[in-house]
Amino acid sequence: MLSLTPAGRALLGKQRGGVSPLALFAKAATQRIDIVGIGDSNQVLSGFGWDHGFQYAMSRYFPMYATGLLSQNENNGSGSGVGYLYSRAAAGVIGAVSGAPVDLGKYLNKGSGALFPAYYTYVADGNIVGSNSLIGLVLSPNCLIDNGGALDFDLHWGSFDSGAGTFRPYVRLGQSPFTTLAVAAVPLSSNTGAFAMQRTTLSIAADPTRADKQVEFKPLRTASDGITGPYFSTYMRASNPARPNGFSYHTLEYRGGQPARTMAYDIQQASNETLTHYFAEVRRLQGPIKCVIIMVNSGLNDRNETQASVGPAAVADGDSPEAFVDNCTAIVQRIQAIWTLNGWSQDELHFVFMVSHPQSDPDDAELESYRSAILAYAATLSQGYAIDLAAKITSAQMLALGYYASAGTDKNHMTQAGYEGMGLLAVTA
């Protein structure tokens, strides 16, 4: 049942149908699945957006088995971040987001693109991050992976071939009395004699009394052990090892004010090592049966595109439906190429396309043309799907439900309730 008011349910009862990969999302009932979001400013807006809305919607029906991958310096250290009832510890850059040795920087190298929001954390040789610094992954009280359960916390960090860098991963209760839940036995050395990506996992035992309390995972021990450079890290993640099924949601790319062409270009330009490292960790916790769902949401900004598309067709008319599909094709082919490069089965990879939410009744001709074109394109893929939001809800219904950020001035974005309600429509089609 959609968690809406009776009036809201009455309005939504008038929706016109549509297309959705319901069975694909429903795999979370029997196995672990990971959803990777790609979109414009609606992907992450003021700390919610689709990143929040899809996790909210999925959690009404399926357990969350893990957080998404989070980088400490996401958004280049500014603004509200990704996550649903979990987040990075604080805004602001820790260390630096550039200058790391090439042998490590390649694991989060945007190339000539601007893949966003992830940024690495680099602390130069001899520099120090104080032990009282706000840093790490925070599970809010009643986080859906179950703060009271047995949990694993992963830190993905880079080792160096020289230097005297140290850090000490640590898990604590995030409120008084700030009990230590797990800590590395001794500070870890970042100098292993070779450049490479490493993973350190701290585990905590179940304690049901902890469920409604904040839990924090840090690469340093508060008031005891800070970080001494050289230090490099990409992502943090928490998971519940006792859950054999459920979902985890990630944001690979969100680009405010940008069309699918920019999203495709960014993913094309990111290094093979960057995308391999990212997707290897997206799929690692799933077990032998894997399901990775790439969700692409665009359309509003594509109407203003003047440059040729970056897919194989290189369509000159940049705002045409053919160019829109070609840019989506570029995203598909780049990610498929990473699967091929690593010898992963293409059978585990799925693509879901969703043109931007309704703006008017009817929508303008360009948005409608994108919807028709993407429905046709998705049908050509062996594991392609499309969600037609305009077939599920009208602009008038969205207005009555209070879904628009501002009925008078901003229909391009939505309220938190809007992303939640529209997320439910997409998931439960």
Side-chain angles (χ1 to χ4, degrees):
M1 179 68 68
L2 300 184
S3 57
L4 301 171
T5 64
R9 286 196 291 272
L11 281 171
L12 295 182
K14 300 175 183 177
Q15 60 188 315
R16 295 173 286 150
V19 180
S20 175
L22 177 60
L24 184 60
F25 295 132
K27 288 178 179 288
T30 57
Q31 67 181 83
R32 291 180 168 189
I33 71 171
D34 282 67
I35 303 170
V36 176
I38 297 170
D40 56 25
S41 57
N42 284 291
Q43 181 61 28
V44 179
L45 181 75
S46 300
F48 44 97
W50 288 120
D51 182 275
H52 172 106
F54 270 99
Q55 295 189 75
Y56 169 88
M58 287 294 291
S59 69
R60 303 307 99 174
Y61 301 94
F62 312 107
M64 178 190 288
Y65 87 85
T67 69
L69 290 168
L70 295 184
S71 64
Q72 176 61 50
N73 284 336
E74 69 175 51
N75 299 348
N76 199 13
S78 64
S80 299
V82 302
Y84 178 57
L85 297 179
Y86 61 86
S87 64
R88 61 172 172 177
V93 170
I94 296 294
V97 298
S98 62
V102 173
D103 287 327
L104 292 177
K106 66 183 179 182
Y107 294 106
L108 194 36
N109 181 355
K110 305 167 191 292
S112 59
L115 196 69
F116 194 82
Y119 285 83
Y120 62 65
T121 298
Y122 172 58
V123 180
D125 191 10
N127 287 359
I128 292 175
V129 176
S131 63
N132 287 317
S133 300
L134 293 176
I135 184 172
L137 167 62
V138 175
L139 304 182
S140 300
N142 299 304
C143 180
L144 298 177
I145 67 170
D146 184 10
N147 292 5
L151 298 175
D152 291 337
F153 295 87
D154 295 329
L155 176 66
H156 300 279
W157 58 279
S159 59
F160 294 76
D161 64 356
S162 63
T166 60
F167 62 102
R168 194 173 189 183
Y170 167 63
V171 183
R172 74 172 189 175
L173 198 65
Q175 61 190 67
S176 182
F178 300 100
T179 307
T180 296
L181 303 176
V183 62
V186 295
L188 305 181
S189 172
S190 64
N191 179 3
T192 66
F195 290 111
M197 285 306 300
Q198 312 284 346
R199 181 176 62 251
T200 292
T201 301
L202 293 185
S203 300
I204 61 175
D207 178 0
T209 67
R210 201 175 56 225
D212 62 350
K213 298 177 176 61
Q214 183 165 295
V215 176
E216 300 173 349
F217 172 53
K218 303 182 173 191
L220 52 78
R221 189 176 188 185
T222 301
S224 177
D225 301 282
I227 296 172
T228 299
Y231 172 84
F232 177 90
S233 68
T234 52
Y235 302 108
M236 305 169 290
R237 193 180 190 188
S239 61
N240 186 325
R243 290 183 172 169
N245 67 290
F247 75 94
S248 180
Y249 186 95
H250 317 257
T251 287
L252 171 62
E253 165 91 328
Y254 85 89
R255 295 286 264 129
Q258 298 297 317
R261 183 188 188 278
T262 299
M263 302 169 202
Y265 181 80
D266 285 351
I267 295 170
Q268 287 175 328
Q269 297 305 309
S271 71
N272 286 340
E273 293 89 349
T274 293
L275 295 178
T276 293
H277 175 54
Y278 182 87
F279 284 115
E281 293 309 320
V282 163
R283 62 195 289 283
R284 179 177 61 87
L285 298 178
Q286 289 191 10
I289 301 176
K290 300 185 186 299
C291 175
V292 177
I293 303 168
I294 309 298
M295 293 199 67
V296 181
N297 176 247
S298 191
L300 292 175
N301 301 308
D302 299 81
R303 299 173 297 176
N304 302 317
E305 183 54 65
T306 59
Q307 299 183 76
S309 59
V310 296
V315 179
D317 186 1
D319 66 346
S320 67
E322 293 80 10
F324 181 73
V325 166
D326 193 50
N327 289 321
C328 290
T329 300
I331 293 172
V332 169
Q333 292 185 348
R334 176 61 173 141
I335 295 175
Q336 286 177 332
I338 293 298
W339 252 251
T340 298
L341 177 67
N342 289 282
W344 302 333
S345 172
Q346 298 286 339
D347 290 342
E348 68 192 41
L349 187 57
H350 308 262
F351 294 89
V352 178
F353 303 95
M354 188 170 71
V355 174
S356 303
H357 58 274
Q359 303 290 292
S360 59
D361 296 322
D363 261 326
D364 64 71
E366 282 185 304
L367 274 183
E368 293 286 8
S369 72
Y370 298 159
R371 292 190 179 111
S372 297
I374 209 65
L375 284 167
Y377 172 64
T380 70
L381 300 175
S382 60
Q383 296 187 124
Y385 308 80
I387 298 172
D388 184 358
L389 291 174
K392 303 179 185 309
I393 189 169
T394 67
S395 177
Q397 289 170 340
M398 291 183 65
L399 184 63
L401 288 163
Y403 281 1
Y404 289 122
S406 170
T409 60
D410 186 3
K411 289 187 175 181
N412 290 337
H413 305 101
M414 293 185 279
T415 60
Q416 180 174 320
Y419 291 109
E420 291 175 356
M422 298 293 276
L424 284 165
L425 286 180
V427 167
T428 63

